[in-house]
mmCIF file of all heavy atoms in Angstrom:
data_model
loop_
_atom_site.group_PDB
_atom_site.id
_atom_site.type_symbol
_atom_site.label_atom_id
_atom_site.label_comp_id
_atom_site.label_asym_id
_atom_site.label_seq_id
_atom_site.Cartn_x
_atom_site.Cartn_y
_atom_site.Cartn_z
ATOM 1 N N GLY D 906 -139.394 -22.534 -8.678
ATOM 2 C CA GLY D 906 -138.207 -21.811 -9.128
ATOM 3 C C GLY D 906 -138.289 -20.315 -8.936
ATOM 4 O O GLY D 906 -137.418 -19.583 -9.431
ATOM 5 N N SER D 908 -139.231 -16.756 -6.272
ATOM 6 C CA SER D 908 -139.477 -16.180 -4.954
ATOM 7 C C SER D 908 -140.788 -15.402 -5.026
ATOM 8 O O SER D 908 -141.164 -14.882 -6.086
ATOM 9 C CB SER D 908 -138.334 -15.244 -4.546
ATOM 10 O OG SER D 908 -137.133 -15.966 -4.390
ATOM 11 N N GLU D 910 -143.828 -13.102 -2.337
ATOM 12 C CA GLU D 910 -144.304 -12.693 -1.024
ATOM 13 C C GLU D 910 -145.521 -13.545 -0.683
ATOM 14 O O GLU D 910 -146.529 -13.501 -1.390
ATOM 15 C CB GLU D 910 -144.659 -11.207 -1.027
ATOM 16 C CG GLU D 910 -143.457 -10.290 -1.132
ATOM 17 C CD GLU D 910 -143.833 -8.841 -0.985
ATOM 18 O OE1 GLU D 910 -144.343 -8.264 -1.969
ATOM 19 O OE2 GLU D 910 -143.636 -8.282 0.115
ATOM 20 N N ALA D 946 -157.867 -21.526 16.904
ATOM 21 C CA ALA D 946 -157.054 -20.434 17.446
ATOM 22 C C ALA D 946 -157.617 -19.082 17.035
ATOM 23 O O ALA D 946 -157.669 -18.144 17.837
ATOM 24 C CB ALA D 946 -155.609 -20.579 16.968
ATOM 25 N N LEU D 949 -160.492 -18.079 19.105
ATOM 26 C CA LEU D 949 -160.075 -17.713 20.464
ATOM 27 C C LEU D 949 -159.454 -16.316 20.520
ATOM 28 O O LEU D 949 -159.671 -15.578 21.485
ATOM 29 C CB LEU D 949 -159.055 -18.728 20.986
ATOM 30 C CG LEU D 949 -159.570 -20.140 21.270
ATOM 31 C CD1 LEU D 949 -158.400 -21.102 21.410
ATOM 32 C CD2 LEU D 949 -160.435 -20.167 22.523
ATOM 33 N N GLY D 951 -159.212 -13.888 17.698
ATOM 34 C CA GLY D 951 -159.515 -12.846 16.737
ATOM 35 C C GLY D 951 -158.225 -12.333 16.125
ATOM 36 O O GLY D 951 -157.261 -13.080 15.935
ATOM 37 N N ALA D 955 -151.642 -9.730 20.749
ATOM 38 C CA ALA D 955 -151.216 -10.148 22.088
ATOM 39 C C ALA D 955 -151.808 -11.515 22.430
ATOM 40 O O ALA D 955 -151.139 -12.371 23.020
ATOM 41 C CB ALA D 955 -151.637 -9.100 23.124
ATOM 42 N N ALA D 959 -150.093 -15.224 22.982
ATOM 43 C CA ALA D 959 -150.285 -15.840 24.297
ATOM 44 C C ALA D 959 -150.639 -17.323 24.224
ATOM 45 O O ALA D 959 -150.331 -18.083 25.148
ATOM 46 C CB ALA D 959 -151.387 -15.097 25.061
ATOM 47 N N THR D 978 -164.488 -37.499 16.260
ATOM 48 C CA THR D 978 -163.884 -38.419 15.304
ATOM 49 C C THR D 978 -162.395 -38.122 15.213
ATOM 50 O O THR D 978 -161.837 -37.456 16.082
ATOM 51 C CB THR D 978 -164.574 -38.271 13.925
ATOM 52 O OG1 THR D 978 -163.999 -39.188 13.002
ATOM 53 C CG2 THR D 978 -164.456 -36.858 13.396
ATOM 54 N N VAL D 985 -159.984 -35.570 17.270
ATOM 55 C CA VAL D 985 -160.312 -34.186 17.007
ATOM 56 C C VAL D 985 -160.087 -33.311 18.236
ATOM 57 O O VAL D 985 -159.684 -32.148 18.127
ATOM 58 C CB VAL D 985 -161.759 -34.064 16.484
ATOM 59 C CG1 VAL D 985 -162.771 -34.498 17.514
ATOM 60 C CG2 VAL D 985 -162.055 -32.651 16.012
ATOM 61 N N VAL D 988 -156.521 -31.899 18.438
ATOM 62 C CA VAL D 988 -156.264 -30.768 17.554
ATOM 63 C C VAL D 988 -156.815 -29.475 18.156
ATOM 64 O O VAL D 988 -156.191 -28.414 18.061
ATOM 65 C CB VAL D 988 -156.883 -31.024 16.164
ATOM 66 C CG1 VAL D 988 -156.707 -29.817 15.263
ATOM 67 C CG2 VAL D 988 -156.250 -32.248 15.520
ATOM 68 N N ILE D 989 -157.993 -29.564 18.786
ATOM 69 C CA ILE D 989 -158.601 -28.383 19.403
ATOM 70 C C ILE D 989 -157.839 -27.974 20.661
ATOM 71 O O ILE D 989 -157.508 -26.793 20.855
ATOM 72 C CB ILE D 989 -160.083 -28.656 19.728
ATOM 73 C CG1 ILE D 989 -160.882 -28.844 18.432
ATOM 74 C CG2 ILE D 989 -160.682 -27.517 20.557
ATOM 75 C CD1 ILE D 989 -162.305 -29.331 18.647
ATOM 76 N N LEU D 1010 -177.350 -27.984 23.375
ATOM 77 C CA LEU D 1010 -176.554 -26.918 22.762
ATOM 78 C C LEU D 1010 -176.860 -25.570 23.394
ATOM 79 O O LEU D 1010 -175.945 -24.815 23.751
ATOM 80 C CB LEU D 1010 -176.818 -26.881 21.255
ATOM 81 C CG LEU D 1010 -176.057 -25.827 20.447
ATOM 82 C CD1 LEU D 1010 -174.549 -25.967 20.640
ATOM 83 C CD2 LEU D 1010 -176.412 -25.936 18.960
ATOM 84 N N ALA D 1021 -168.023 -23.217 18.127
ATOM 85 C CA ALA D 1021 -168.583 -24.570 18.166
ATOM 86 C C ALA D 1021 -168.157 -25.292 16.894
ATOM 87 O O ALA D 1021 -168.207 -24.720 15.801
ATOM 88 C CB ALA D 1021 -170.103 -24.508 18.267
ATOM 89 N N ASP D 1069 -169.287 -20.282 9.629
ATOM 90 C CA ASP D 1069 -168.368 -19.147 9.729
ATOM 91 C C ASP D 1069 -166.967 -19.469 9.224
ATOM 92 O O ASP D 1069 -166.317 -18.616 8.618
ATOM 93 C CB ASP D 1069 -168.318 -18.664 11.183
ATOM 94 C CG ASP D 1069 -169.691 -18.216 11.665
ATOM 95 O OD1 ASP D 1069 -170.072 -17.071 11.364
ATOM 96 O OD2 ASP D 1069 -170.386 -19.022 12.316
ATOM 97 N N GLY D 1075 -157.083 -29.783 0.652
ATOM 98 C CA GLY D 1075 -156.596 -29.501 -0.691
ATOM 99 C C GLY D 1075 -155.954 -30.715 -1.322
ATOM 100 O O GLY D 1075 -155.777 -30.781 -2.540
ATOM 101 N N LEU D 1093 -162.650 -13.651 10.311
ATOM 102 C CA LEU D 1093 -162.105 -14.873 10.914
ATOM 103 C C LEU D 1093 -161.007 -15.486 10.045
ATOM 104 O O LEU D 1093 -160.032 -16.043 10.564
ATOM 105 C CB LEU D 1093 -163.222 -15.874 11.166
ATOM 106 C CG LEU D 1093 -164.150 -15.550 12.338
ATOM 107 C CD1 LEU D 1093 -165.306 -16.544 12.419
ATOM 108 C CD2 LEU D 1093 -163.377 -15.526 13.663
ATOM 109 N N PRO D 1107 -145.742 -23.488 13.061
ATOM 110 C CA PRO D 1107 -145.254 -24.825 12.695
ATOM 111 C C PRO D 1107 -146.133 -25.513 11.653
ATOM 112 O O PRO D 1107 -145.772 -26.571 11.151
ATOM 113 C CB PRO D 1107 -145.312 -25.593 14.030
ATOM 114 C CG PRO D 1107 -145.419 -24.561 15.092
ATOM 115 C CD PRO D 1107 -146.147 -23.420 14.479
ATOM 116 N N GLY D 1111 -146.245 -23.885 2.301
ATOM 117 C CA GLY D 1111 -145.271 -23.311 1.385
ATOM 118 C C GLY D 1111 -145.919 -22.786 0.116
ATOM 119 O O GLY D 1111 -147.113 -22.997 -0.144
ATOM 120 N N ILE D 1115 -149.787 -23.435 -1.801
ATOM 121 C CA ILE D 1115 -150.730 -22.369 -2.145
ATOM 122 C C ILE D 1115 -151.047 -22.393 -3.634
ATOM 123 O O ILE D 1115 -152.209 -22.334 -4.049
ATOM 124 C CB ILE D 1115 -150.177 -20.998 -1.717
ATOM 125 C CG1 ILE D 1115 -149.896 -20.965 -0.212
ATOM 126 C CG2 ILE D 1115 -151.172 -19.894 -2.082
ATOM 127 C CD1 ILE D 1115 -149.149 -19.721 0.250
ATOM 128 N N ASN D 1127 -163.317 -26.915 -14.029
ATOM 129 C CA ASN D 1127 -163.359 -27.143 -15.469
ATOM 130 C C ASN D 1127 -163.264 -28.623 -15.855
ATOM 131 O O ASN D 1127 -163.099 -28.941 -17.033
ATOM 132 C CB ASN D 1127 -162.222 -26.370 -16.148
ATOM 133 C CG ASN D 1127 -162.400 -24.870 -16.033
ATOM 134 O OD1 ASN D 1127 -163.294 -24.287 -16.649
ATOM 135 N ND2 ASN D 1127 -161.560 -24.231 -15.229
ATOM 136 N N LEU D 1140 -164.306 -49.235 -15.229
ATOM 137 C CA LEU D 1140 -163.387 -49.954 -14.346
ATOM 138 C C LEU D 1140 -164.143 -50.775 -13.309
ATOM 139 O O LEU D 1140 -163.834 -51.959 -13.076
ATOM 140 C CB LEU D 1140 -162.459 -48.965 -13.642
ATOM 141 C CG LEU D 1140 -161.529 -48.124 -14.505
ATOM 142 C CD1 LEU D 1140 -160.769 -47.127 -13.642
ATOM 143 C CD2 LEU D 1140 -160.553 -49.003 -15.273
ATOM 144 N N GLU D 1146 -167.479 -57.806 -12.734
ATOM 145 C CA GLU D 1146 -167.691 -58.912 -13.671
ATOM 146 C C GLU D 1146 -166.758 -60.080 -13.376
ATOM 147 O O GLU D 1146 -167.121 -61.257 -13.546
ATOM 148 C CB GLU D 1146 -167.483 -58.416 -15.097
ATOM 149 C CG GLU D 1146 -167.643 -59.483 -16.175
ATOM 150 C CD GLU D 1146 -169.056 -60.056 -16.258
ATOM 151 O OE1 GLU D 1146 -170.013 -59.349 -15.870
ATOM 152 O OE2 GLU D 1146 -169.188 -61.226 -16.688
ATOM 153 N N THR D 1178 -168.168 -68.309 0.741
ATOM 154 C CA THR D 1178 -166.923 -68.264 -0.038
ATOM 155 C C THR D 1178 -165.775 -69.014 0.621
ATOM 156 O O THR D 1178 -164.817 -69.404 -0.041
ATOM 157 C CB THR D 1178 -166.479 -66.805 -0.250
ATOM 158 O OG1 THR D 1178 -166.218 -66.207 1.029
ATOM 159 C CG2 THR D 1178 -167.570 -66.012 -0.985
ATOM 160 N N GLU D 1187 -156.567 -57.791 4.066
ATOM 161 C CA GLU D 1187 -155.263 -57.776 4.724
ATOM 162 C C GLU D 1187 -154.192 -58.372 3.826
ATOM 163 O O GLU D 1187 -153.084 -57.848 3.728
ATOM 164 C CB GLU D 1187 -155.339 -58.550 6.038
ATOM 165 C CG GLU D 1187 -154.083 -58.468 6.873
ATOM 166 C CD GLU D 1187 -154.236 -59.138 8.232
ATOM 167 O OE1 GLU D 1187 -154.922 -60.174 8.308
ATOM 168 O OE2 GLU D 1187 -153.672 -58.618 9.206
#
Side-chain angles (χ1 to χ4, degrees):
S908 295
E910 290 186 282
L949 291 165
T978 181
V985 64
V988 176
I989 294 171
L1010 180 56
D1069 300 278
L1093 286 175
I1115 302 171
N1127 294 290
L1140 298 175
E1146 179 64 26
T1178 62
E1187 186 175 36

